[in-house]
Amino acid sequence: MISVGVLVENSTRPRPWNHISALKRFAVRLEDSLEERDFLEAYFNQHKVPNTNSSEEEPWDGWEEEISRATMDHPAFHLSHVLQIMGISSLTVFKHALGRRRILIHTPPPVESACLLAQLAAVISTGEEGASGVHAQKIAVLGVVGLTDLKRIEEVSAQGNGWIACTTDAIFLEKTQLYDLLIDLSSRAQQRPQRPSLSVSRFSEGSNIKTYKLQSVRYTWSDVKLWTELDRILEADFEHGHPHEAYATKSRWLDPWGLYDDVCIVCAGIWTGWKPSATTSYRQSSSESTPVTNSNSNTQLRLSTDMKDSSRKSIDPRLGPLDVSPSTRAKVTALGLLSAFHNHTDFLHSRLTEFLASTPGAVGIETETVMNPKDVVAFDLGPGSELDARFLEWLSETRGKKVKVRRGWKDLFRYIFGFA
């Protein structure tokens, strides 16, 4: 196993994905010749920066400017593929990230797709302004963690701003007290890839020992409204030009919630039980073959050794072109999806501001404010949904307020029949 990485300068807006394409090629070159390492030092000297402080960072000009100068390695261009794979359940991840919960992604190696999912969850749950604003502080992305990081995880958890991390250690599945949401990408699919498994960690009552158990969770019906808007943007994206795509055919829907049959190879790693093969290739020219996939067995035809060797001399079949510029359609789709998430975030916070202003007794986190089903509906959320109720309580905590959502049968009865 060969691994190559870079240490990125600590800043408010680090962009480690700018080095992804180069690092992948370095790993391939080291695999061919482990003794040859001069190019690593040359790359470091070319890209190292002098010591600077955060005040000297370039100002944030918004997502349109960010997307306009990014390559296809930027996580934002993978957002459409991730939404297509996860479907409406991706909004459950969005709510946990926006509520600044602790999110753990368990995945088998390689971890690239899981880390991509972590970055995207942080991006969509950050305010529109990016560098400032009410909810602009991004949830911490811890990257890949192991048992040696337990102390670090506890320290970040104590800060109360949540975190997102990836791990390959199955023992974390038993340490349910460490996280609030588990995204499991390790399940093996029998026939075809399945959606990732989402589970929430719940305190188990009735025991003298404080224990937590995992409980499966999917989505709430209140998510349909936002998902319909996202679905409209995805349907308008007829051009799925992607440097790592496995198929050149037009997208087609497999289910009502929008699972595409053709997604990029990196994002396809989010499919449970699916691992990219070193022999997987994509269309490069008319003289090269594209892997053939059987939709029933999910198997691929392997390239011959001669073809692999000949392709490797120019572009390794696992990598794709270097620093590919996104198409106009890719930019429009990425910006449209980001705007949908950020506008919804602004809507939720504006509603929360109005609610807190109407309850002057809510002075601080110690004072509990009661929210009834009518107030929940004002957020376009379901008054009978436990997840939506907990989400509003989480969202209030990010504003330093403590809110208790009442959703008992008496409260719902009063709301349905119009009683005060």
Side-chain angles (χ1 to χ4, degrees):
M1 179 180 294
I2 295 178
S3 177
V4 186
V6 294
L7 292 177
V8 181
E9 182 186 22
N10 186 26
S11 65
T12 57
R13 291 175 299 277
R15 298 178 177 88
W17 44 82
N18 290 338
H19 305 278
I20 289 178
S21 294
L23 292 177
K24 287 183 176 180
R25 279 158 179 77
F26 294 158
V28 171
R29 291 181 63 178
L30 290 173
E31 185 178 353
D32 292 337
S33 179
L34 189 59
E35 294 76 16
E36 183 184 357
R37 302 186 182 184
D38 295 339
F39 55 87
L40 296 177
E41 183 177 356
Y43 185 84
F44 175 81
N45 292 329
Q46 180 182 357
H47 292 85
K48 68 178 181 180
V49 294
N51 293 329
T52 58
N53 54 52
S54 59
S55 61
E56 297 177 353
E57 293 183 16
E58 56 185 279
W60 172 261
D61 294 326
W63 279 103
E64 186 172 355
E65 173 65 21
E66 176 77 6
I67 294 298
S68 65
R69 62 181 185 179
T71 66
M72 287 300 293
D73 286 324
H74 196 290
F77 295 115
H78 294 265
L79 180 56
S80 61
H81 297 144
V82 171
L83 292 177
Q84 292 154 19
I85 291 171
M86 296 195 66
I88 194 173
S89 296
S90 58
L91 299 186
T92 300
V93 181
F94 167 68
K95 287 180 178 178
H96 279 77
L98 189 59
R100 297 305 185 253
R101 298 296 94 186
R102 303 165 300 171
I103 304 174
L104 181 67
I105 306 174
H106 177 243
T107 179
V111 299
E112 182 177 4
S113 58
C115 293
L116 181 65
L117 177 58
Q119 289 287 351
L120 285 175
V123 166
I124 63 178
S125 62
T126 304
E128 176 69 32
E129 298 181 27
S132 61
V134 175
H135 204 66
Q137 186 177 0
K138 183 183 293 187
I139 185 173
V141 179
L142 305 184
V144 180
V145 298
L147 293 178
T148 57
D149 299 295
L150 290 179
K151 183 178 180 180
R152 177 191 175 202
I153 291 175
E154 293 175 353
E155 291 175 350
V156 177
S157 299
Q159 298 174 7
N161 194 49
W163 49 263
I164 311 175
C166 311
T167 186
T168 58
D169 293 333
I171 195 173
F172 275 93
L173 300 178
E174 302 175 4
K175 296 184 177 296
T176 52
Q177 75 280 6
L178 295 176
Y179 47 84
D180 301 300
L181 177 68
L182 173 68
I183 307 175
D184 194 356
L185 311 182
S186 63
S187 301
R188 297 285 180 173
Q190 298 297 325
Q191 296 296 329
R192 68 178 181 85
Q194 305 291 319
R195 295 196 189 281
S197 172
L198 303 182
S199 303
V200 293
S201 179
R202 295 288 174 83
F203 175 68
S204 181
E205 299 180 357
S207 175
N208 295 329
I209 303 177
K210 194 174 183 180
T211 59
Y212 292 81
K213 293 184 179 180
L214 293 178
Q215 178 181 339
S216 297
V217 63
R218 294 186 64 193
Y219 59 89
T220 64
W221 289 111
S222 61
D223 293 332
V224 173
K225 182 177 181 180
L226 176 57
W227 180 254
T228 300
E229 182 179 356
L230 298 172
D231 186 26
R232 176 182 55 81
I233 299 174
L234 293 174
E235 280 189 313
D237 184 23
F238 292 117
E239 300 176 9
H240 284 279
H242 196 285
H244 307 297
E245 65 185 357
Y247 311 96
T249 59
K250 182 180 177 180
S251 303
R252 55 186 181 272
W253 301 98
L254 290 184
D255 61 28
W257 300 124
L259 175 60
Y260 277 124
D261 192 23
D262 53 332
V263 295
C264 80
I265 288 180
V266 173
C267 297
I270 298 176
W271 275 348
T272 59
W274 190 92
K275 292 184 179 181
S277 170
T279 58
T280 303
S281 182
Y282 55 87
R283 191 186 305 276
Q284 296 191 47
S285 65
S286 57
S287 60
E288 295 182 351
S289 301
T290 304
V292 180
T293 302
N294 185 310
S295 59
N296 295 325
S297 62
N298 193 38
T299 57
Q300 293 182 336
L301 298 182
R302 295 181 176 272
L303 299 174
S304 66
T305 304
D306 294 339
M307 181 177 294
K308 288 190 294 183
D309 292 341
S310 61
S311 300
R312 193 181 181 113
K313 293 178 180 178
S314 55
I315 301 177
D316 190 274
R318 294 167 291 178
L319 305 180
L322 181 64
D323 296 335
V324 174
S325 299
S327 64
T328 301
R329 168 56 62 185
K331 294 179 181 179
V332 170
T333 300
L335 287 173
L337 294 173
L338 288 173
S339 296
F341 278 110
H342 294 160
N343 291 339
H344 189 66
T345 299
D346 293 340
F347 163 76
L348 291 172
H349 278 283
S350 65
R351 283 286 188 267
L352 183 59
T353 300
E354 294 174 2
F355 170 78
L356 295 176
S358 65
T359 54
V363 178
I365 194 67
E366 297 84 4
T367 306
E368 184 176 89
T369 304
V370 175
M371 183 179 291
N372 58 45
K374 184 179 179 181
D375 298 322
V376 175
V377 173
F379 288 82
D380 285 343
L381 299 175
S385 170
E386 181 184 5
L387 178 58
D388 284 349
R390 296 170 71 90
F391 168 63
L392 287 176
E393 294 172 357
W394 300 336
L395 196 64
S396 301
E397 289 178 6
T398 65
R399 302 284 290 273
K401 308 295 182 180
K402 186 175 182 180
V403 171
K404 177 64 177 178
V405 179
R406 298 177 61 175
R407 48 183 295 273
W409 67 269
K410 291 183 179 180
D411 302 300
L412 295 176
F413 180 86
R414 292 191 184 99
Y415 168 72
I416 294 174
F417 292 98
F419 294 103

